[in-house]
Amino acid sequence: MKKAATRDGYGQGLMELGEYNQDVVVLSADLTESTRTLEFSKKYPGRFIEAGVAEQNMAGMAAGLAFEGKIPFAGSFSVFSPGRNWDQIRVSICYSNANVKIAGSHAGLVTGEDGATHQALEDIAITRCLPNMVVLVPCDALEAKKATVAAALYKGPVYLRLAREKTAVVTTFETPFEIGKALVLREGDDAAIIACGTMVYPALEAAESLAAEGYSVCVINNPSIKPLDTETIVAAAVQTGAIVTAEEHQINGGLGGAVAEVLARNAPVPQEMVAVNDTFGESGRPKELLAKYGLTPWHIVDAVKRAVGRKQEQS
């Protein structure tokens, strides 16, 4: 299967936007190559700003550009933005509802050898709690490009979560993308796996493995963490009676928590969460880290079986 990093899709989306939208401006915190903004800086130097290693300043600059009618995309590693400049994002961008797009690259364990200090595992939690903020976690490079374009069209703050590692491309050019919408990739009746980002393909692999054991499992790609597609999530809960969430993020405050909030209010059913269990990462190869911290298809398989077992105990 073809593989590409979601950060590549972000760079491609910026190049497309730069061609037809003169208001799009790109900012970088001395990471143009890593965040895939280098080509934009070369082709549109008049609409590119190198902020240097100063993420707090970059957030303020982006807010000012937005107030002057521009559509700024501010990119850095996600541990630095939104990690290091959360206060500036909260006050200068979200409180003012400024039309700023924050691109956090190198998120999650698949940042690999860079280790715990560079593996953002809390960024979904700290952004989705902010009023006015939209949080998007595309599952592959194609979806990342669509999410970047959609972010430019949306009026208000947006956080785009991106990864360094190449991952399987599971969508196509025709696959729809809309802020606030999830997409059912596979139908099923026994349980539903709701996944985002790099965990979508492992969720599909898990469903395929479970099918060989006689389980019928629905798989939902949920790139829009906020706003959440409540209708699709509730429908899956009602149809299957068992939910599993899968994300490359801390178990607290991420997709699993967001889904649990929806289920508690609308359709309480057994839920299991596949996520990093309240710990920091470490330096290592991406595949090794995903295995150690419980983020493989086989961990999803076990979670589905637990959720189905709990459902059966309640019936």
Side-chain angles (χ1 to χ4, degrees), residues 10 83 144 208 270 272 294 309:
Y10 171 66
E208 189 67 26
E272 295 287 335

Side-chain angles (χ1 to χ4, degrees), residues 1-314:
M1 178 171 283
K2 179 182 177 181
K3 291 187 176 183
T6 51
R7 61 173 174 163
D8 294 333
Y10 171 66
Q12 293 161 8
L14 290 179
M15 292 300 288
E16 181 177 307
L17 287 168
E19 187 173 344
Y20 70 80
N21 193 329
Q22 297 295 313
D23 289 329
V24 169
V25 179
V26 174
L27 298 89
S28 173
D30 199 28
L31 289 165
T32 54
E33 186 172 355
S34 295
T35 58
R36 297 300 189 258
T37 55
L38 182 60
E39 294 305 312
F40 188 99
S41 70
K42 290 178 179 178
K43 189 170 183 179
Y44 306 106
R47 288 187 275 148
F48 175 79
I49 298 174
E50 177 54 76
V53 187
E55 293 82 11
Q56 295 94 337
N57 286 345
M58 182 174 68
M61 293 162 66
L65 288 163
F67 296 147
E68 292 300 317
K70 302 301 181 183
I71 306 173
F73 281 78
S76 183
F77 287 2
S78 46
V79 288
F80 305 138
S81 179
R84 187 163 289 172
N85 59 2
W86 188 82
D87 175 64
Q88 286 76 20
I89 291 172
R90 177 182 181 270
V91 178
S92 298
I93 295 174
C94 290
Y95 180 65
S96 304
N97 200 24
N99 192 28
V100 176
K101 320 305 168 183
I102 300 151
S105 184
H106 292 56
L109 286 172
V110 293
T111 301
E113 291 83 356
D114 287 355
T117 59
H118 283 58
Q119 292 162 347
L121 296 171
E122 306 80 20
D123 52 315
I124 294 175
I126 66 172
T127 52
R128 83 176 184 93
C129 70
L130 290 171
N132 296 324
M133 180 69 85
V134 165
V135 180
L136 303 177
V137 186
C139 72
D140 62 23
L142 284 177
E143 190 164 73
K145 180 179 180 180
K146 296 172 188 174
T148 302
V149 173
L153 296 173
Y154 177 84
K155 185 72 172 180
V158 177
Y159 174 55
L160 283 164
R161 188 182 206 241
L162 308 165
R164 177 177 75 176
E165 186 75 358
K166 291 182 178 180
T167 51
V169 177
V170 300
T171 65
T172 69
F173 289 103
E174 292 75 28
T175 304
F177 178 86
E178 184 178 347
I179 293 174
K181 294 294 182 182
L183 184 65
V184 177
L185 300 180
R186 181 182 180 124
E187 298 286 351
D189 297 318
D190 292 328
I193 306 169
I194 304 173
C196 66
T198 57
M199 294 302 291
V200 171
Y201 183 63
L204 289 167
E205 290 183 298
E208 189 67 26
S209 177
L210 285 160
E213 298 184 47
Y215 290 88
S216 172
V217 178
C218 169
V219 177
I220 298 172
N221 172 27
N222 192 96
S224 183
I225 308 297
K226 183 188 177 186
L228 205 59
D229 189 346
T230 300
E231 182 178 351
T232 296
I233 291 170
V234 171
V238 171
Q239 179 177 336
T240 67
I243 297 292
V244 171
T245 53
E247 60 189 310
E248 193 192 350
H249 185 271
Q250 295 287 0
I251 199 167
N252 302 309
L255 170 65
V259 169
E261 292 164 12
V262 169
L263 297 180
R265 290 194 296 265
N266 298 280
V269 299
Q271 178 185 350
E272 295 287 335
M273 299 182 189
V274 176
V276 176
N277 194 14
D278 196 26
T279 185
F280 289 104
E282 61 185 286
S283 179
R285 295 176 180 176
K287 285 186 178 180
E288 295 171 341
L289 294 172
L290 293 173
K292 177 173 181 176
Y293 291 92
L295 302 179
T296 70
W298 320 121
H299 291 95
I300 299 175
V301 166
D302 290 342
V304 169
K305 291 180 179 179
R306 290 196 302 271
V308 171
R310 289 170 57 196
K311 176 179 70 171
Q312 292 171 344
E313 289 174 2
Q314 293 178 5

